[in-house]
Amino acid sequence: MTALEKGITASGTGFNGKSWNILGQVYFPKAITESTFAFETNSDPGQFVPVHIHPTQDEFILVQEGTLDLKLDGKWVKAHAGDLVRLPRGIPHGYFNKSDKPARALFWVSPMQKLEALFSQLDNLTDPAEVVRISALHEVDFLPPEAND
């Protein structure tokens, strides 16, 4: 198992200087072990991650700045700065910045599974269909577009 390395990963930076651009959103890894994977996202107004399922991971979102609209198990909810969103494995969810201000959040999943490898493969891809295809190979299953309504 990969040991957790002590130290600080500063705001707006990634562990060991790493970052990913996934369909225009910037992701910064914060902590990486086999048991957990934490990453920061920065979402401009209008950016989103469509409804999807992690069948083998629990996920958490700590909203740090702004507001996120979430489609959580078929229902719309809002999470504001300071709120923690709990997403048990197998629950459909997506997040959307429907506001006019940027949003920043800390995400973490447990266990890590294939998520870091997925983000590395998605970095700088521009074709959403290819993102969906590759994600399915890494245990992230996107639902049809109507799930986002």
Side-chain angles (χ1 to χ4, degrees):
M1 180 184 292
T2 306
L4 180 63
E5 195 172 308
K6 68 179 180 278
I8 296 171
T9 308
S11 178
T13 67
F15 183 71
N16 289 334
K18 189 183 286 191
S19 67
W20 302 287
N21 181 322
I22 302 176
L23 295 175
Q25 291 193 74
V26 180
Y27 291 62
F28 298 103
K30 296 297 186 176
I32 303 167
T33 72
E34 290 176 17
S35 64
T36 194
F37 175 53
F39 54 96
E40 177 184 329
T41 65
N42 294 277
S43 303
D44 288 330
Q47 290 184 317
F48 64 96
V49 173
V51 175
H52 60 283
I53 294 172
H54 299 264
T56 60
Q57 298 168 302
D58 295 321
E59 183 171 17
F60 303 88
I61 305 169
L62 177 62
V63 180
Q64 296 172 301
E65 293 176 15
T67 300
L68 292 175
D69 286 88
L70 296 108
K71 186 87 179 263
L72 178 55
D73 203 14
K75 296 187 173 134
W76 284 102
V77 296
K78 281 189 184 294
H80 305 277
D83 290 347
L84 176 69
V85 181
R86 299 175 313 278
L87 305 163
R89 63 190 74 198
I91 299 296
H93 62 280
Y95 73 91
F96 303 76
N97 184 351
K98 294 183 175 185
S99 77
D100 60 354
K101 295 183 174 77
R104 186 170 59 92
L106 177 69
F107 288 66
W108 68 95
V109 297
S110 180
M112 179 175 64
Q113 301 295 79
K114 302 176 181 180
L115 205 55
E116 181 192 17
L118 171 61
F119 287 178
S120 293
Q121 287 192 16
L122 298 183
D123 188 32
N124 291 317
L125 282 181
T126 57
D127 179 7
E130 185 66 359
V131 168
V132 168
R133 185 190 72 77
I134 292 170
S135 296
L137 300 173
H138 290 81
E139 300 177 333
V140 176
D141 302 317
F142 283 91
L143 275 60
E146 54 271 14
N148 301 305
D149 296 336

